[in-house]
């Protein structure tokens, strides 16, 4: 099948490329990423990834991959920060505690739709306000849920423990994706 990645994320492209597949990137700008109240932390990114997938029409030989990642900490969903102050606020909230990173993935063909999620527990060290400001100013994490990239400086100095998929924290649980693609006979 011809694989279509519906994502602007350079990290998702890098991770999917690591699986050795040929694929095409196809995106629709401005898709609605809202979700109804009352969903669990696993259901939120699943709902959004299904919503993204529903916006695409596919040819008979195509398989679409959509994904959405959230950071969940102390009962709050941390999406992408809107500005520097919001990014610093999010990182102070993550400071010194364990949070969950949940990615929902939807695989869609003309005949079937399969959605799953992957959760990773991430523990942060206590970082100073100066360290948080340094990261935000030098790495501008405005396109990242929770205002951080685990593969960047803050991951090197701040992540003390990770339980689950490292690649999920980057935005795509590639091992699980590979398994699901095999189940669909797509690879």
């Amino acid at each position: 099948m011809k694989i279509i990645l519906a994502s602007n994320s350079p990290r998702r492209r890098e991770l999917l490329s690591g699986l050795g597949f040929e694929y095409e990137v196809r995106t629709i700008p401005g898709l609605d990423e809202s979700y109804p109240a009352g969903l669990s932390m696993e259901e939120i990114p699943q709902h959004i990834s299904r919503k993204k997938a529903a916006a695409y029409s596919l040819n008979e030989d195509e398989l679409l991959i959509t994904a959405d990642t959230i950071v969940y900490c102390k009962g709050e969903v941390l999406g992408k920060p809107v500005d520097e102050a919001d990014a610093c606020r999010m990182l102070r909230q993550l400071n010194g505690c364990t949070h969950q990173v949940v990615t929902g993935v939807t695989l869609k063909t003309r005949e079937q739709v399969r959605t799953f999620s992957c959760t990773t527990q991430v523990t942060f060290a206590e970082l100073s306000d100066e360290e948080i400001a340094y990261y935000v100013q030098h790495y501008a994490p405005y396109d990242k849920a929770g205002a951080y990239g685990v593969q960047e400086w803050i991951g090197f100095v701040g992540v003390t423990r990770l339980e689950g998929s490292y690649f999920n924290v980057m935005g795509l649980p590639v091992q699980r994706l590979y398994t699901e693609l095999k189940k669909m006979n797509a690879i």
Side-chain angles (χ1 to χ4, degrees):
M1 298 207 77
K2 181 178 179 182
I3 296 175
I4 309 296
L5 176 64
S7 177
N8 283 318
S9 167
R11 291 160 302 282
R12 288 194 180 116
R13 282 184 248 146
E14 174 189 345
L15 292 170
L16 188 58
S17 293
L19 291 176
F21 307 142
E22 287 189 23
Y23 64 92
E24 172 188 328
V25 174
R26 193 181 299 167
T27 60
I28 299 173
L31 290 178
D32 177 24
E33 295 189 12
S34 64
Y35 55 90
L39 295 181
S40 70
M41 71 175 182
E42 291 87 4
E43 292 170 328
I44 293 168
Q46 289 180 5
H47 175 84
I48 296 169
S49 73
R50 276 193 303 271
K51 201 170 176 181
K52 289 176 181 178
Y56 289 82
S57 297
L58 299 173
N59 293 323
E60 191 66 37
D61 64 338
E62 294 178 326
L63 179 135
L64 180 75
I65 301 170
T66 60
D68 189 74
T69 301
I70 65 164
V71 171
Y72 191 80
C73 182
K74 300 176 185 172
E76 182 183 347
V77 175
L78 303 179
K80 296 173 185 170
V82 295
D83 57 22
E84 183 176 335
D86 194 33
C88 289
R89 177 195 65 80
M90 288 182 187
L91 291 170
R92 281 193 298 277
Q93 185 171 338
L94 298 172
N95 209 10
C97 67
T98 298
H99 61 277
Q100 294 74 38
V101 177
V102 187
T103 301
V105 178
T106 297
L107 306 176
K108 176 184 171 182
T109 65
R110 278 190 164 180
E111 290 79 38
Q112 56 182 316
V113 176
R114 171 174 268 156
T115 301
F116 61 91
S117 67
C118 183
T119 302
T120 304
Q121 307 285 329
V122 181
T123 303
F124 261 53
E126 288 282 345
L127 298 173
S128 69
D129 285 343
E130 292 78 19
E131 289 168 318
I132 289 171
Y134 171 84
Y135 173 69
V136 172
Q137 290 166 7
H138 288 87
Y139 292 87
Y142 307 116
D143 66 334
K144 297 170 180 71
Y148 79 94
V150 70
Q151 72 281 5
E152 296 173 339
W153 180 84
I154 203 161
F156 301 153
V157 302
V159 174
T160 62
R161 181 179 166 96
L162 192 141
E163 187 176 328
S165 169
Y166 173 81
F167 300 113
N168 181 55
V169 182
M170 286 180 65
L172 194 64
V174 288
Q175 188 282 327
R176 176 76 187 273
L177 173 62
Y178 183 80
T179 299
E180 296 294 333
L181 288 169
K182 283 184 5 182
K183 286 179 187 176
M184 292 179 75
N185 294 319
I187 55 172

